């Protein structure tokens, strides 16, 4: 049994062992082993040139990773917190997602960006964000979000091995509370494959990251038979699994902790509107964060999707 | 202009290095590393760049290329630095150095295709160790720092040169790239083309630093100032910086001081902000003629050689624009085909759908 953050650490060890071109870089990832200990032991095992304590500069971390990729490395960049990643968006949008295109496909930029994300950890401002929409919206980028320890290891391995740049968002709320069996040695979960976390027949709750557990908790208490679909990968999106589940249940609720407007839940709803309209027996309802700055922690529980809010959405959809 | 915006020389301001004299009071100097053939090859490179730039302006006016960033007057910075490099070294151009690949054997048609918005203007940076042209300001500085750091990690001999303007030194990306390069002992030369204008913004409104080279001290690297119109001064400063880089001593910042002698780009109207008399004065001491004077004083450049350099460059450009114009219209599939190595299924479906629609339309 491993926790989710231990599985990330295991995945980094395994991939660095397997491929000498993989290097980990970021703030405090070396001697400290990362503020969440996700990179603990890497520096001792692989040396300070492969697990690099960088200057405190997120755009510089990702910008130099572009150059390191040009020199033949596979950089795995840690952004210390979700909201601290915003300075790196300049490099991500202007270069990481475009450079392959700019070379006519001649050069690959196998860069992985991983970061803890999400709320309810009782932290100061800007340690709580869910920035996945910025990343998913950027052409040339792929985005994965695990909800279990095994997937944390397997999706990270897929990201590191992918020829394209991949952002992996790790739900920090469940870094140490999610525990599960994690395959020893090499373990890859392909990008673009969703997971049915709970079987059901009446309604599908689509979720990812820490919201999968919220969806499952609501499903336990619901009168209806609820299927929970853990997307695992936002881009590529497993449309087949989504359409299959909603084709079966005819109803969908989408749960995400990011703000609502133009968030990924809206994308899921749009896919269902375009491709599953005749299967739907009710509206696709979103349960998300609100379009406000992420609140201080004494009131953050009111902001985040809760099992109660998911249940209310389920009632609405079932009663339609 | 407010009095406080005037920049006084700092006590620490590095001297402005020059090698080429004026044929009168100031004698010509010498540089190590260039024999007679090397001096003449440098001349041909400058003429090639000059011809590329002048022809491109004409092509733009004729509607044969799109918006174009003119670099007239900065050939010394580009040619002087590239000639101080080996083939193993990397070059990271901004749009102001769009044609620098010519000095590595890139075909003019490739760069003209880039300015024509045609995918044939793409290239593989590894082929000639010329990175893609960076359009946003200074964001390639961290790339060059990372690549140079990577070369050091691999134990390779190569280094990198990154080109940017005075305005770029205000960007965070310049700072982060320079700092990373210093901390990682990256074999990097940061080459600032200080032409004193960022479109309409003069240097005095860009920084309170007396000299951009002074910024190097903040990164713990040497800062050097050279006359950017003196190709041999640029060559010599780059050669020394490359030597330091190869010796594992880390990056160097070179400030090549010049003056923008042409509009920022073809869409710009500098009459709104620049002193045209100053531009005319600067153009009278432009770098190609200065270097030709030097070579003639040394008895190396004859009229025949000068004429041959120009004729060859013109022929290359004629051939280049013809080849660029002869390129077939790009396949619309290219909209999709190079974005991902392994594209998401949705993108694959959209590609098929678009191509089906286009073929139905008979387009």
């Amino acid at each position: 049994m491993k926790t989710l953050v231990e599985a990330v650490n295991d995945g980094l060890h395994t991939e660095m062992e397997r491929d000498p071109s993989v290097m980990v870089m970021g703030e405090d990832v070396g001697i400290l082993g990362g503020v969440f200990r996700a990179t603990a032991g890497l520096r001792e095992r692989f040396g300070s040139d492969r697990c690099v304590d960088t200057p405190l500069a997120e755009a510089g971390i990702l910008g130099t990773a572009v150059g390191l990729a040009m020199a033949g490395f596979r950089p795995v960049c840690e952004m210390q917190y979700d909201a601290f990643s915003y300075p790196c968006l300049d490099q991500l949008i202007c270069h990481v997602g475009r450079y392959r295109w700019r070379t006519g496909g001649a050069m690959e930029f196998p860069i992985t960006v991983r970061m803890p994300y999400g709320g309810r950890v009782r932290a100061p401002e800007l340690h709580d964000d869910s920035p996945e929409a910025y990343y998913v919206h950027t052409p040339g980028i792929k985005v994965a979000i695990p909800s279990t320890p095994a997937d944390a290891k397997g999706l990270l391995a897929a990201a590191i091995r992918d020829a394209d740049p991949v952002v992996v968002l790790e739900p920090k709320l469940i870094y140490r509370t999610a525990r599960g069996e994690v395959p020893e040695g090499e373990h890859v979960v392909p990008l673009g494959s969703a997971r049915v976390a709970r079987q059901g027949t009446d309604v599908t709750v689509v979720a990812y990251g820490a919201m999968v557990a919220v969806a499952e908790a609501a499903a336990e208490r619901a009168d209806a038979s609820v299927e929970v679909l853990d997307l695992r990968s936002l881009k590529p999106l497993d449309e087949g699994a989504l359409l299959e589940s909603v084709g079966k249940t005819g109803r969908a609720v989408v749960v995400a902790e990011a703000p609502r407007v133009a968030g990924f839940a809206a994308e899921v709803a749009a896919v269902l509107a375009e491709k599953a309209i005749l299967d739907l027996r009710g509206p696709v309802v979103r349960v998300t964060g609100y379009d406000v700055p992420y609140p201080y922690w004494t009131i953050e529980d009111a902001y985040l999707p809760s099992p109660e809010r998911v249940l209310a959405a389920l009632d609405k959809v079932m009663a339609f | 202009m407010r009095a406080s915006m005037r920049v006084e020389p700092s006590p620490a301001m590095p001297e402005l290095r020059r090698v080429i004299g004026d044929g009168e009071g100031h004698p010509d100097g010498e540089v190590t590393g260039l024999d007679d053939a090397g001096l003449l090859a440098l001349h041909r490179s400058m003429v090639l760049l000059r011809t590329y730039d002048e022809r491109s302006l004409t092509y733009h006016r004729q509607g044969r290329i799109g918006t174009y960033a003119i670099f007239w007057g900065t050939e010394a910075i580009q040619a002087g630095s590239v000639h101080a490099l080996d083939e193993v070294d990397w070059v990271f151009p901004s749009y102001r150095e769009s044609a620098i690949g010519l000095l590595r054997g890139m075909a003019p048609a490739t760069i003209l295709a880039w300015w024509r918005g045609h995918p044939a203007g793409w290239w593989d940076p590894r082929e000639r160790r010329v990175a893609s042209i960076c359009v946003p300001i200074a964001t390639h500085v961290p790339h060059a720092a990372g690549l140079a750091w990577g070369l050091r990690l691999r134990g390779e001999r190569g280094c990198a040169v990154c080109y940017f303007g005075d305005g770029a030194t205000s960007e965070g990306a310049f700072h982060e790239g320079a700092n990373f390069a210093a901390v990682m002992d990256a074999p990097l030369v940061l080459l600032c083309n200080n032409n004193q204008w960022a479109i309409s913004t003069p240097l005095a409104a860009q920084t309170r630093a007396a000299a951009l080279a002074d910024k190097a001290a903040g990164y713990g690297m040497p800062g050097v100032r050279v006359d950017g119109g003196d190709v041999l001064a640029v060559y010599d400063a780059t050669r020394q910086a490359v030597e330091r880089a190869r010796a594992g001593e880390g990056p160097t910042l070179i400030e090549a001081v010049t003056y923008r002698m042409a509009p920022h780009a073809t869409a710009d109207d500098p009459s709104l902000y620049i002193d045209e008399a100053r531009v005319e004065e600067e153009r009278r001491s432009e770098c190609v003629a200065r270097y030709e004077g030097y070579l003639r004083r040394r008895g190396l450049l004859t009229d025949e050689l000068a004429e041959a350099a120009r004729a060859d460059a013109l022929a290359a450009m004629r051939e280049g624009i013809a080849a660029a114009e002869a390129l077939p219209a790009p396949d619309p599939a290219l909209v999709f085909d190079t974005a991902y190595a392994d594209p998401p299924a949705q993108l694959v479906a959209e590609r098929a759908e678009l191509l089906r629609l286009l073929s139905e339309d008979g387009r």
Side-chain angles (χ1 to χ4, degrees):
Chain A
M1 295 282 277
K2 278 193 170 71
T3 64
L4 197 146
V5 72
E6 286 167 352
V8 170
N9 186 265
D10 177 13
L12 289 170
H13 273 94
T14 306
E15 293 307 304
M16 289 179 81
E17 197 74 61
R18 177 182 165 270
D19 181 349
S21 71
V22 176
M23 59 188 284
V24 166
M25 56 195 288
E27 296 154 11
D28 309 301
V29 298
I31 293 170
L32 180 66
V35 293
F36 290 99
R37 307 293 180 269
T39 56
L42 295 176
R43 183 183 159 107
E44 291 81 350
R45 172 69 189 79
F46 301 103
S48 57
D49 278 349
R50 288 190 64 200
C51 179
V52 185
D53 280 320
T54 66
L56 205 168
E58 293 78 12
I61 292 168
L62 190 52
T64 52
V66 170
L68 287 163
M70 294 174 87
F73 290 90
R74 298 179 97 84
V76 181
C77 305
E78 176 174 304
M79 298 294 149
Q80 201 163 68
Y81 277 90
D82 34 57
F84 298 173
S85 75
Y86 299 147
C88 90
L89 280 169
D90 182 10
Q91 282 292 332
L92 190 95
I93 295 166
C94 294
H95 295 294
V96 176
R98 305 177 73 101
Y99 221 127
R100 180 179 199 281
W101 167 88
R102 197 180 277 152
T103 67
M107 274 190 97
E108 291 180 348
F109 290 82
I111 297 168
T112 300
V113 178
R114 45 165 294 276
M115 72 187 81
Y117 91 101
R120 198 170 269 163
V121 295
R122 309 301 186 235
E125 186 190 2
L126 294 162
H127 290 66
D128 324 277
D129 281 10
S130 295
E132 66 270 20
Y134 308 128
Y135 295 106
V136 173
H137 194 66
T138 302
I141 304 294
K142 297 174 180 175
V143 179
I145 304 184
S147 72
T148 69
D151 286 352
K153 178 177 179 179
L155 289 169
L156 179 59
I160 292 171
R161 297 181 190 193
D162 204 281
D164 295 313
V166 184
V167 176
V168 184
L169 295 152
E170 298 160 359
K172 67 168 103 62
L173 173 67
I174 57 172
Y175 254 162
R176 296 195 169 81
T177 54
R179 300 181 69 88
E181 293 299 331
V182 177
E184 292 292 318
E186 294 190 27
H187 171 57
V188 180
V189 173
L191 302 177
S193 73
R195 173 182 74 97
V196 177
R198 185 185 201 276
Q199 299 271 359
T201 52
D202 295 336
V203 54
T204 302
V205 179
V206 181
Y208 49 87
M211 292 300 104
V212 173
V214 172
E216 287 172 324
E220 285 297 321
R221 290 159 54 186
D223 295 330
S225 168
V226 178
E227 179 145 303
V228 176
L229 186 69
D230 175 5
L231 290 180
R232 299 202 288 195
S233 168
L234 274 50
K235 196 183 189 180
L237 173 66
D238 188 348
E239 281 190 6
L242 178 66
L243 296 174
E244 187 185 326
S245 178
V246 175
K248 180 176 70 176
T249 61
R251 299 178 183 88
V253 169
V254 192
V255 188
E257 59 184 291
R260 169 174 303 227
V261 174
F264 195 75
E267 176 63 21
V268 173
V271 168
L272 292 172
E274 283 180 352
K275 299 187 176 173
I277 192 76
L278 295 178
D279 292 327
L280 287 171
R281 291 193 251 168
V284 178
V285 173
R286 288 173 288 169
V287 180
T288 67
Y290 300 105
D291 289 283
V292 295
Y294 190 90
Y296 262 167
W297 74 72
T298 50
I299 48 171
E300 69 179 327
D301 290 356
Y303 167 92
L304 286 164
S306 60
E308 291 71 26
R309 282 179 60 198
V310 177
L311 281 165
L314 288 170
D315 286 347
K316 189 172 164 186
V317 173
M318 292 306 296
F320 182 80
Chain B
M1 186 180 286
R2 287 180 293 127
S4 65
M5 288 180 73
R6 256 182 246 121
V7 173
E8 302 299 335
S10 69
M13 188 192 277
E15 58 156 342
L16 189 69
R17 294 191 196 170
R18 291 199 175 93
V19 173
I20 300 175
D22 58 7
E24 294 166 15
H26 298 284
D28 289 324
E30 301 232 1
V31 294
T32 48
L34 287 176
D35 58 13
D36 289 354
L39 289 165
L40 284 172
L42 180 54
H43 172 255
R44 285 179 65 84
S45 287
M46 288 178 82
V47 170
L48 180 58
L49 288 173
R50 171 63 53 89
T51 308
Y52 179 94
D53 185 74
E54 290 181 346
R55 292 310 300 157
S56 291
L57 188 56
T58 301
Y59 297 152
H60 169 77
R61 287 174 178 154
Q62 293 169 341
R64 301 164 84 180
I65 64 172
T67 301
Y68 171 69
I70 304 155
F71 59 73
W72 201 96
T74 66
E75 296 85 351
I77 298 171
Q78 300 181 48
S81 53
V82 170
H83 277 249
L85 303 178
D86 284 352
E87 272 182 15
V88 296
D89 300 322
W90 279 73
V91 170
F92 283 76
S94 80
Y95 56 78
R96 191 72 67 202
E97 295 82 24
S98 63
I100 204 161
L102 295 177
L103 307 188
R104 284 279 173 87
M106 191 178 288
T110 301
I111 306 156
L112 289 166
W114 193 88
W115 287 109
R116 284 169 60 81
H118 192 292
W122 288 327
W123 64 77
D124 181 347
R126 288 165 304 189
E127 249 178 64
R128 295 182 173 80
R129 304 203 170 190
V130 178
S132 300
I133 297 165
C134 189
V135 173
I137 303 300
T139 50
H140 61 319
V141 178
H143 305 168
L147 177 113
W149 170 20
L151 294 178
R152 178 178 72 70
L153 290 177
R154 289 189 171 282
E156 291 182 18
R157 186 175 162 272
C159 65
V161 180
C162 186
Y163 298 84
F164 51 90
D166 42 301
T169 64
S170 298
E171 290 275 8
F174 163 76
H175 162 68
E176 295 192 22
N179 189 52
F180 258 82
V183 169
M184 302 304 173
D185 295 319
L188 177 66
V189 182
L190 294 162
L191 185 34
C192 179
N193 166 8
N194 176 8
N195 69 16
Q196 309 188 44
W197 291 93
I199 306 188
S200 68
T201 306
L203 186 63
Q206 200 72 247
T207 180
R208 287 289 185 276
L212 296 177
D214 286 346
K215 297 195 176 208
Y219 304 111
M221 68 173 81
V224 177
R225 288 179 89 224
V226 299
D227 180 341
D230 181 336
V231 69
L232 295 179
V234 175
Y235 170 86
D236 203 45
T238 310
R239 187 188 58 76
Q240 290 175 32
V242 166
E243 218 165 76
R244 282 193 74 240
R246 290 202 212 289
E249 292 168 28
T252 303
L253 172 62
I254 300 175
E255 176 190 359
V257 182
T258 176
Y259 196 85
R260 212 186 69 210
M261 294 170 231
H264 157 71
T266 47
D268 181 30
D269 177 8
S271 70
L272 293 171
Y273 57 83
I274 216 165
D275 175 3
E276 303 278 8
R278 170 77 191 271
V279 173
E280 277 316 304
E281 181 192 323
E282 294 287 341
R283 288 178 79 98
R284 279 196 292 276
S285 61
E286 60 85 13
C287 61
V288 176
R290 269 166 82 184
Y291 187 49
E292 290 187 344
Y294 172 90
L295 292 173
R296 286 178 193 278
R297 289 193 292 278
R298 287 194 53 155
L300 289 174
L301 187 68
T302 60
D303 288 348
E304 291 72 32
L305 283 174
E307 190 39 52
R310 264 171 245 287
D312 290 351
L314 277 169
M317 289 307 292
R318 269 196 299 274
E319 199 180 300
I321 193 69
E325 288 178 332
L327 286 165
D331 183 347
L334 280 173
V335 168
F336 300 91
D337 286 353
T338 67
Y340 288 92
D342 178 19
Q346 291 82 352
L347 203 55
V348 175
E350 284 165 349
R351 177 187 189 276
E353 173 69 1
L354 178 70
L355 295 185
R356 188 184 62 77
L357 283 172
L358 291 179
S359 71
E360 274 178 9
D361 284 1
R363 269 185 270 167

